[in-house]
Amino acid sequence: MPPMYSLITGASRGIGEAFARTLASEGHSLILIARDLQALTALQQSLTAQWGVKVVVIDIDLRDPNATRIIYERTQKEGWDVDLLINNAGFGRFGEFDSHPVDDYVAMVQLNVTAPMVLSHYFLRAMRERGQGAIIHVASMAAFQPTPYMTVYGATKGFLRAFSEGLAGELRDSDVRILTVCPGLTDTHFFIAAGADLTKTLDAAPKMLTPDVVVKESLDALRRGTMTVVPGLKNRIVAFLSSAIPHRIGVPLAARILGRQFKDQPHQR
Ligand SMILES: NC(=O)c1ccc[n+]([C@@H]2O[C@H](COP(=O)([O-])OP(=O)(O)OC[C@H]3O[C@@H](n4cnc5c(N)ncnc54)[C@H](OP(=O)(O)O)[C@@H]3O)[C@@H](O)[C@H]2O)c1
C-alpha cells in the first residue's frame, strides 16, 4: 500500500521543523512546505538518513493566493495521500497598526488565515471518505483576546482558532480529528521575523517553551482527542485569565504590556 503523508506548512524551521522531526521519528512520510528550499532540502536529507522515511519538499510562498491550489494539484498528480495536515506557517508584525505597510497585513491574512482554510477544504473531503485523518491548526495564545501592537496578527489567530474549533464541532461524530494548538512564547525565529524586542515587551511573560515541548503536547492532545491545547501549564493559566477578564480591563492592560517597547520611539510610517 502507498504511504500516507503528513503535510506540514512552515516546516523549514521552528515549530514546523519540530513537527517534522517528531513525525519522522515515528515513521511518518512527510510533505514539507516553506520558501527556503535549502533549509527544506537539508531537513529532508537529515530525516531520510536518520529514519529512512519518505520526505518530499515543495518550496512555495503561501502568501501567493495560487500556492494552495498548486500544492493540492501536485499531491493529486503524484498520488500523495494526506492523512495529517498541519497548518503551521505564519508570521506576525509588532508595532502600531499604521507603522507597517498595508500589503504586509494583506499577506499576513493570506498566510495565517486563507491558506489554512483553503488547504483544510482541499484535504478534508478525502479524509472523510477514507474515514481517517486529522488537521492541526497552529494558532496562538493571541487567539484568546485582542492584541494591541500586534492587532492584525492576533485577529488572524482569533479567526484560525474559531474556524478550527467550529470545524471540530462539525466533525465531532466523524473519524477526522481537528486540533487547535495555541502556543505561547516559543523559542523560534518568530519574534525576530516580527521585529519584536522581547526584553522590553514581554518580560513578565512565562519562560519560553521549546518547539519540541509544543509539538509533544500537541501530538499527545491529538491522540487524546482534545479540541484545543495550550502547551505549558503557565500558558494555560494565562490563557484562562485572558479569556475570563472582560475586554474593557484586558485590552488596556495588554496595550500597556505590549506597548512598552514603542513608547520611546517616534511614530514611523
Ligand atoms: N514562536 C512563538 O512564540 C509562537 C507563538 C504562538 C504561535 N506561533 C505560531 O507558530 C507557527 C510557527 O511559527 P514559529 O514560531 O515556528 O516561527 P518561525 O521559526 O518564524 O517559522 C515560521 C515558518 O513558516 C514558514 N513561512 C513563513 N512565511 C511563509 C510563506 N510566505 N510561505 C511559506 N512558508 C512560510 C517559514 O519558512 P520560510 O521562511 O522558509 O518560508 C518557517 O518555516 C506560526 O503560525 C506562528 O504564528 C508561534
Side-chain angles (χ1 to χ4, degrees), residues 10-15 34-36 60-63 88-90 111 138-140 153 157 183-186 188-191:
S12 61
R13 58 173 191 253
I15 295 171
R35 292 166 301 177
D36 184 341
I60 198 158
D61 188 340
L62 283 163
R63 294 172 303 180
N88 163 75
L111 181 66
V138 181
S140 168
Y153 175 76
K157 294 301 182 175
L185 296 182
T186 309
T188 69
H189 191 75
F190 176 82
F191 291 97

Side-chain angles (χ1 to χ4, degrees), residues 128-181:
R128 294 183 87 156
E129 285 168 3
R130 278 194 302 270
Q132 179 211 345
I135 302 175
I136 298 176
H137 290 111
V138 181
S140 168
M141 281 174 64
F144 289 99
Q145 74 288 306
T147 50
Y149 300 103
M150 46 191 299
T151 311
V152 178
Y153 175 76
T156 66
K157 294 301 182 175
F159 174 100
L160 191 60
R161 177 182 167 215
F163 164 65
S164 183
E165 291 183 343
L167 202 53
E170 271 182 41
L171 294 167
R172 68 197 178 286
D173 294 326
S174 82
D175 297 311
V176 179
R177 274 171 287 166
I178 310 289
L179 173 70
T180 310
V181 180

Side-chain angles (χ1 to χ4, degrees), residues 37-247:
L37 180 59
Q38 215 181 340
L40 288 176
T41 307
L43 182 59
Q44 175 188 40
Q45 286 167 354
S46 149
L47 298 180
T48 307
Q50 191 173 4
W51 303 108
V53 290
K54 187 160 170 53
V55 180
V56 296
V57 305
I58 302 176
D59 60 312
I60 198 158
D61 188 340
L62 283 163
R63 294 172 303 180
D64 175 352
N66 294 313
T68 46
R69 183 183 44 76
I70 291 167
I71 291 166
Y72 181 66
E73 287 177 357
R74 177 88 189 275
T75 63
Q76 297 308 287
K77 182 165 157 265
E78 305 279 359
W80 298 333
D81 288 327
V82 172
D83 69 348
L84 175 58
L85 167 64
I86 305 181
N87 281 313
N88 163 75
F91 80 100
R93 283 278 177 268
F94 271 73
E96 293 178 324
F97 169 64
D98 57 351
S99 68
H100 293 290
V102 76
D103 286 352
D104 272 17
Y105 296 129
V106 173
M108 193 186 297
V109 171
Q110 181 67 37
L111 181 66
N112 297 7
V113 167
T114 308
M117 185 269 289
V118 173
L119 287 174
S120 296
H121 196 271
Y122 282 146
F123 288 106
L124 176 60
R125 176 158 303 169
M127 291 182 190
R128 294 183 87 156
E129 285 168 3
R130 278 194 302 270
Q132 179 211 345
I135 302 175
I136 298 176
H137 290 111
V138 181
S140 168
M141 281 174 64
F144 289 99
Q145 74 288 306
T147 50
Y149 300 103
M150 46 191 299
T151 311
V152 178
Y153 175 76
T156 66
K157 294 301 182 175
F159 174 100
L160 191 60
R161 177 182 167 215
F163 164 65
S164 183
E165 291 183 343
L167 202 53
E170 271 182 41
L171 294 167
R172 68 197 178 286
D173 294 326
S174 82
D175 297 311
V176 179
R177 274 171 287 166
I178 310 289
L179 173 70
T180 310
V181 180
C182 296
L185 296 182
T186 309
D187 192 6
T188 69
H189 191 75
F190 176 82
F191 291 97
I192 297 162
D197 180 351
L198 288 186
T199 54
K200 288 187 197 159
T201 309
L202 296 164
D203 50 7
K207 206 170 141 250
M208 281 204 185
L209 295 183
T210 65
D212 284 340
V213 169
V214 171
V215 166
K216 183 183 181 316
E217 292 203 22
S218 301
L219 292 176
D220 287 349
L222 182 70
R223 282 154 194 158
R224 281 197 308 274
T226 308
M227 183 167 75
T228 302
V229 63
V230 179
L233 177 62
K234 284 184 188 164
N235 288 336
R236 281 193 282 284
I237 295 167
V238 174
F240 172 77
L241 293 174
S242 299
S243 308
I245 294 172
H247 284 185

